[in-house]
Amino acid sequence: GDSVTQMEGPVTLSEEAFLTINCTYTATGYPSLFWYVQYPGEGLQLLLKATKADDKGSNKGFEATYRKETTSFHLEKGSVQVSDSAVYFCAISNTGTASKLTFGTGTRLQVTL
Amino acid sequence: GAVVSQHPSWVICKSGTSVKIECRSLDFQATTMFWYRQFPKQSLMLMATSNEGSKATYEQGVEKDKFLINHASLTLSTLTVTSAHPEDSSFYICSAQLQGFSYNEQFFGPGTRLTVL
């Protein structure tokens, strides 16, 4: 079945540092790829998505590129802020929509001043 | 944006009792809602897909008689954990699907932490 592997946290960075959270997946066909973010005390929110190879999803300074050849969807941000502290989940869906998502284990990011 | 609420946010119950968790879409109608379970330091596992006006679709390995799902309206789905046992202790998360023009997005509730003593 489908699976998602993302780097374990927590990741601790100083403000304005560069962020990379690795995500790789195993799936049949051509899944859609997602990054969700969960701020403390809130539900998961869609951060960005990509639906086909070489697509780049971007939002709030975060980016991730759909790399089919390496089955990866790494999350990056050039300069993190304290407000980016949250748990980040990589997810895939093989249904063409956001139905039946398969999630990674989540990576906690802590940004300090 | 679309908001989904869950109630209660946490619950502690005795072994053998039943617990009901509500999931509401506050500002949109959702014909489809999803129920997930999350163990500590593990990923969200889809338990079932809840469809308004019809029976839920359960994932393999999920006991439908143990986890009763009712999607009685376009804004409310409930998950009842029947005869709860300590192994049912977990974090339960729901999501509601908003159907868009070209893409259906899931909006997630904040989760309910269940502890069974």
Side-chain angles (χ1 to χ4, degrees):
Chain A
D2 297 349
S3 67
V4 176
T5 302
Q6 62 180 105
M7 61 189 291
E8 289 192 23
V11 174
T12 303
L13 296 173
S14 299
E15 199 169 44
E16 298 184 0
F18 185 85
L19 168 72
T20 299
I21 301 178
N22 291 336
C23 172
T24 57
Y25 65 90
T26 302
T28 56
Y30 299 91
S32 296
L33 310 180
F34 308 85
W35 275 100
Y36 284 83
V37 58
Q38 185 176 31
Y39 298 103
E42 300 182 17
L44 276 73
Q45 302 173 26
L46 178 64
L47 180 60
L48 52 85
K49 69 180 188 291
T51 58
K52 61 182 188 294
D54 299 326
D55 264 2
K56 177 185 284 187
S58 61
N59 185 24
K60 299 180 181 180
F62 291 89
E63 293 182 341
T65 300
Y66 191 142
R67 299 292 187 196
K68 192 174 189 310
E69 64 276 13
T70 55
T71 62
S72 65
F73 193 53
H74 304 321
L75 182 68
E76 296 182 337
K77 186 173 185 180
S79 176
V80 294
Q81 305 299 311
V82 172
S83 57
D84 294 326
S85 297
V87 181
Y88 293 82
F89 292 90
C90 184
I92 66 174
S93 173
N94 241 324
T95 64
T97 70
S99 301
K100 300 206 71 171
L101 292 164
T102 299
F103 285 90
T105 54
T107 302
R108 181 174 298 279
L109 170 65
Q110 183 73 41
V111 181
T112 59
L113 291 171
Chain B
V3 179
V4 175
S5 70
Q6 279 185 244
H7 178 81
S9 55
W10 59 270
V11 58
I12 301 173
C13 69
K14 293 182 179 179
S15 186
T17 60
S18 294
V19 174
K20 180 184 286 188
I21 302 170
E22 294 184 348
C23 177
R24 293 182 185 274
S25 56
L26 298 185
D27 49 4
F28 67 100
Q29 293 183 330
T31 55
T32 303
M33 292 184 175
F34 301 90
W35 286 96
Y36 296 85
R37 183 172 180 178
Q38 185 180 27
F39 292 101
K41 298 186 178 180
Q42 295 188 29
S43 59
L44 281 73
M45 301 298 296
L46 179 64
M47 299 174 65
T49 302
S50 172
N51 302 296
E52 189 269 338
S54 64
K55 292 183 179 180
T57 304
Y58 290 82
E59 295 299 302
Q60 190 173 11
V62 177
E63 300 176 59
K64 61 181 180 181
D65 295 330
K66 174 97 177 141
F67 298 99
L68 300 179
I69 292 173
N70 187 342
H71 195 156
S73 78
L74 288 172
T75 59
L76 173 64
S77 175
T78 60
L79 169 68
T80 301
V81 183
T82 62
S83 187
H85 288 94
E87 58 266 30
D88 299 324
S89 299
S90 192
F91 195 56
Y92 293 88
I93 301 172
C94 75
S95 70
Q97 184 170 283
L98 176 64
Q99 291 185 296
F101 178 71
S102 60
Y103 172 73
N104 299 334
E105 184 172 341
Q106 288 188 42
F107 292 88
F108 288 81
T112 297
R113 183 161 302 283
L114 170 64
T115 301
V116 184
L117 301 177

